[in-house]
Amino acid sequence: MCNPEVAFMGHLTTQEQATQTPSQTPSQTIVKRIDIAAPVPRVWRALTDHLQFSQWFLVNLEGPFVLGEKVGGQLTHPGYEHVRMEVVVQAIQPTTYFAYTWHPYAVDPKVDYSDETPTLVEFHLEATPTGTLVVVTESGFENLPPSRYADALRMNTRGWEQQLKNIETYVLKTA
């Protein structure tokens, strides 16, 4: 069942607030959540198997997610096929936590984003009575150049809303 909720810093549960650093403010972090009617292992595979991730995220990843390594591929989302996505895996804690860094909303082929500090994307999975709670957090927008900050934050806020719907649809269709 789709139940995405928007939560920014300052509007989080006490437990979520406890995991945030004092330097983060509401406008610097995106937090989205969805409860997917599927068991944690199924959602975990869709999230961390690069072939399944490619299907719902709309990207052709060229290899698996490996701790400490970079993996990339071309987006297949209509209108963004010119964009190459690259992530560096920061953590894989089977069936509960997956994290990577990337350059958010890096869509202009004329711009070299490699000197920018990437943002951190974290996925937390937790069993619920109805399936699996997925919480995605993206932080570090405050480190982006001022010229990119607002667009990256706005577009990724919308993007994570869509991606959570995408993973839910994918998991329920392929369960």
Side-chain angles (χ1 to χ4, degrees):
M1 181 63 78
C2 181
N3 183 21
E5 298 173 10
V6 178
F8 287 96
M9 307 285 286
H11 296 84
L12 302 178
T13 66
T14 304
Q15 179 181 9
E16 289 170 325
Q17 288 174 350
T19 65
Q20 305 305 320
T21 61
S23 65
Q24 294 175 324
T25 65
S27 62
Q28 296 171 333
T29 300
I30 299 167
V31 180
K32 301 288 182 183
R33 55 182 59 231
I34 190 168
D35 195 352
I36 300 175
V40 170
R42 175 66 198 107
V43 177
W44 178 257
R45 284 189 309 275
L47 180 62
T48 60
D49 175 276
H50 76 286
L51 297 174
Q52 293 185 49
F53 184 98
S54 291
Q55 291 293 308
W56 64 266
F57 201 91
L58 301 178
V59 62
N60 282 326
L61 288 178
E62 298 162 348
F65 292 117
V66 177
L67 184 62
E69 293 190 17
K70 182 187 295 187
V71 63
Q74 290 300 123
L75 292 183
T76 60
H77 187 279
Y80 292 92
E81 296 92 341
H82 66 284
V83 176
R84 178 171 174 79
M85 174 181 138
E86 291 186 337
V87 306
V88 177
V89 177
Q90 301 297 318
I92 302 175
Q93 296 172 4
T95 64
T96 61
Y97 181 69
F98 175 57
Y100 59 78
T101 53
W102 71 344
H103 295 287
Y105 195 57
V107 297
D108 187 341
K110 298 177 215 149
V111 175
D112 178 5
Y113 299 96
S114 62
D115 287 337
E116 291 182 7
T117 301
T119 56
L120 176 66
V121 175
E122 301 171 278
F123 295 91
H124 292 271
L125 278 64
E126 180 181 322
T128 67
T130 58
T132 303
L133 174 64
V134 179
V135 179
V136 62
T137 304
E138 185 172 4
S139 59
F141 289 94
E142 71 276 9
N143 298 317
L144 295 177
S147 61
R148 285 200 355 93
Y149 175 87
D151 284 341
L153 184 63
R154 183 183 74 254
M155 294 304 288
N156 280 27
T157 297
R158 291 179 189 163
W160 286 120
E161 290 168 2
Q162 183 60 53
Q163 291 298 10
L164 287 181
K165 291 175 188 173
N166 289 354
I167 193 172
E168 178 185 45
T169 300
Y170 176 81
V171 166
L172 296 179
K173 179 180 76 177
T174 60

